[in-house]
Amino acid sequence: MPHHSPGAARRVLRRVDWYIVALFGVIGLAALAPANGAAADGVSFTARLAVGLLFFLYGARLSPQAALDGVRHWRLHLPVLALTFVAFPVAGLAVGLLPPGLLSPELAAGVLFLTVLPSTVQSAIAFTSMARGNVAAAICAASFSTVLGVVLTPLLAVTLLRRTGAGPGDVPITPSQLTDIAVQLLLPFLAGQALRRWIADWLGRHRALTTLCDRGSILLVVYSAFSHGMTAGIWHRIPPFRLLLLAGVCALLLALALSAAHGTARLIGLSRADRITAVFCGSNKSLASGLPMATVLFPPDRIGITVLPLMLYHTLQLVLCAYLARRRPAPSTAPPTEPPSPTPAPTGQHEPGIPGTTR
């Protein structure tokens, strides 16, 4: 019989993304014990408070200088932003052309919502570091995308859902939603920016607490969303073949995004390190930003089914991007004509604690 050493078991456990395990665990909890009645109202209210705290922490931790630095490297950031906020939404509109018998209007709205989300922050930086890319540029690109996404994502979602009819007919897309977005997302973000000079150092010293707030907020939003879905009975309306089709659509979107990011980066002559950054920042979508925004844009009984494409895409991007990052050759194996990365390898070594998971 083969002998499995404790060291091998530990290596396997280290490869497990426990946050993804927790996400699916929360979904299972919502399926077995969904919140309903007064409990559901309490969970929804707490989730809204958690979303405000989440965006406050985003603002407090994001250096304005990092966002300004992102503008300077426009040859990298322009194609990343164009892919994130132009090419992706066009693909989402194309998915909406599928017959309703293949993809329901709710799922089509979820795919369209997925395509207008900003890039990730934490996992994009982690994957770039693993693949020996330009970590400093990844920090700027992901941060810049997140800042723009606070404003662009809700506006794009509201505009496209209204004009295409991709969402359910009774989704309340009204001017009051913009007020909700400002109060729940934008104002906490700006408050965090305003207080950053006094609390940024404290947050830096208590990374475990901020990570707990980040992940705990998302888990709470997932439980609330899927509880509403269970009590409303929407999952009974999704046949298995439709779930498989949705997974195929998400996989196709991810493959096209990876190819487009890599091809565009090569076309405009970016260095190897910057091409790696463009691939991971341009193809990833933020679960951490998407779930809170969905609670503002969609009614409670539709959130669960609407965020399902985002959950599937997020899982696929973690698995595939982790594989791609690990198989990238070291810089020393690059062709001799390739210009060296403007960011030396030791820069990536300053990011050892960044887990490749959440955003």
Side-chain angles (χ1 to χ4, degrees):
M1 293 179 62
H3 176 68
H4 299 284
S5 67
R10 283 193 296 269
R11 286 193 296 272
V12 171
L13 291 176
R14 281 197 297 267
R15 289 176 178 267
V16 174
D17 191 336
W18 292 108
Y19 185 59
I20 294 296
V21 174
L23 281 173
F24 283 101
V26 167
I27 294 172
L29 178 63
L32 296 174
N36 53 57
D41 294 337
V43 171
S44 296
F45 179 75
T46 306
R48 291 177 68 87
L49 292 179
V51 168
L53 175 61
L54 188 66
F55 276 78
F56 174 81
L57 293 175
Y58 284 169
R61 288 180 297 181
L62 177 62
S63 167
Q65 186 61 44
L68 292 176
D69 289 342
V71 180
R72 297 172 185 168
H73 199 357
W74 63 269
R75 290 183 67 248
L76 169 64
H77 303 308
L78 189 59
V80 169
L81 293 175
L83 179 61
T84 301
F85 295 114
V86 179
F88 252 115
V90 170
L93 292 173
V95 171
L97 299 177
L98 290 174
L102 292 178
L103 205 63
S104 68
E106 294 94 340
L107 291 178
V111 172
L112 183 57
F113 175 68
L114 157 69
T115 60
V116 300
L117 289 174
S119 178
T120 63
V121 175
Q122 201 165 356
S123 59
I125 297 169
F127 292 143
T128 300
S129 179
M130 289 168 57
R132 307 294 194 271
N134 189 339
V135 176
I139 293 171
C140 294
S143 301
F144 201 35
S145 176
T146 298
V147 171
L148 289 179
V150 172
V151 177
L152 285 183
T153 292
L155 292 178
L156 284 172
V158 169
T159 301
L160 296 181
L161 286 171
R162 173 186 292 168
R163 292 191 176 184
T164 64
D170 57 348
V171 171
I173 301 176
T174 65
S176 65
Q177 280 186 304
L178 300 180
T179 303
D180 290 341
I181 292 166
V183 171
Q184 193 172 354
L185 306 182
L186 189 57
L187 287 184
F189 180 85
L190 295 176
Q193 282 280 284
L195 297 176
R196 171 180 162 76
R197 59 181 298 186
W198 293 286
I199 64 177
D201 290 340
W202 186 87
L203 291 175
R205 293 193 301 269
H206 297 82
R207 292 181 181 273
L209 179 61
T210 57
T211 299
L212 180 63
C213 290
D214 279 355
R215 300 185 177 188
S217 299
I218 299 304
L219 292 175
L220 185 60
V221 170
V222 169
Y223 177 72
S224 176
F226 279 81
S227 289
H228 281 298
M230 291 300 299
T231 55
I234 61 176
W235 303 114
H236 300 297
R237 305 201 309 265
I238 308 178
F241 87 90
R242 188 166 285 173
L243 282 176
L244 290 176
L245 176 62
L246 179 63
V249 167
C250 291
L252 179 60
L253 284 174
L254 179 57
L256 291 175
L258 289 167
S259 299
H262 183 263
T264 303
R266 289 186 67 91
L267 183 65
I268 63 177
L270 293 180
S271 68
R272 175 189 176 278
D274 284 345
R275 289 201 303 269
I276 292 172
T277 302
V279 165
F280 292 122
C281 292
S283 63
N284 281 208
K285 289 294 185 178
S286 176
L287 180 75
S289 295
L291 287 178
M293 289 183 183
T295 64
V296 178
L297 292 170
F298 298 94
D301 61 339
R302 302 291 176 87
I303 294 174
I305 194 170
T306 302
V307 300
L308 185 58
L310 174 58
M311 297 283 290
L312 288 174
Y313 188 93
H314 181 77
T315 304
L316 289 170
Q317 79 183 16
L318 288 177
V319 173
L320 183 55
C321 289
Y323 169 75
L324 293 175
R326 289 193 181 100
R327 70 186 291 268
R328 286 278 180 176
S332 59
T333 64
T337 57
E338 189 79 47
S341 168
T343 303
T347 303
Q349 297 171 2
H350 293 294
E351 303 289 339
I354 300 176
T357 53
T358 55
R359 297 177 191 164

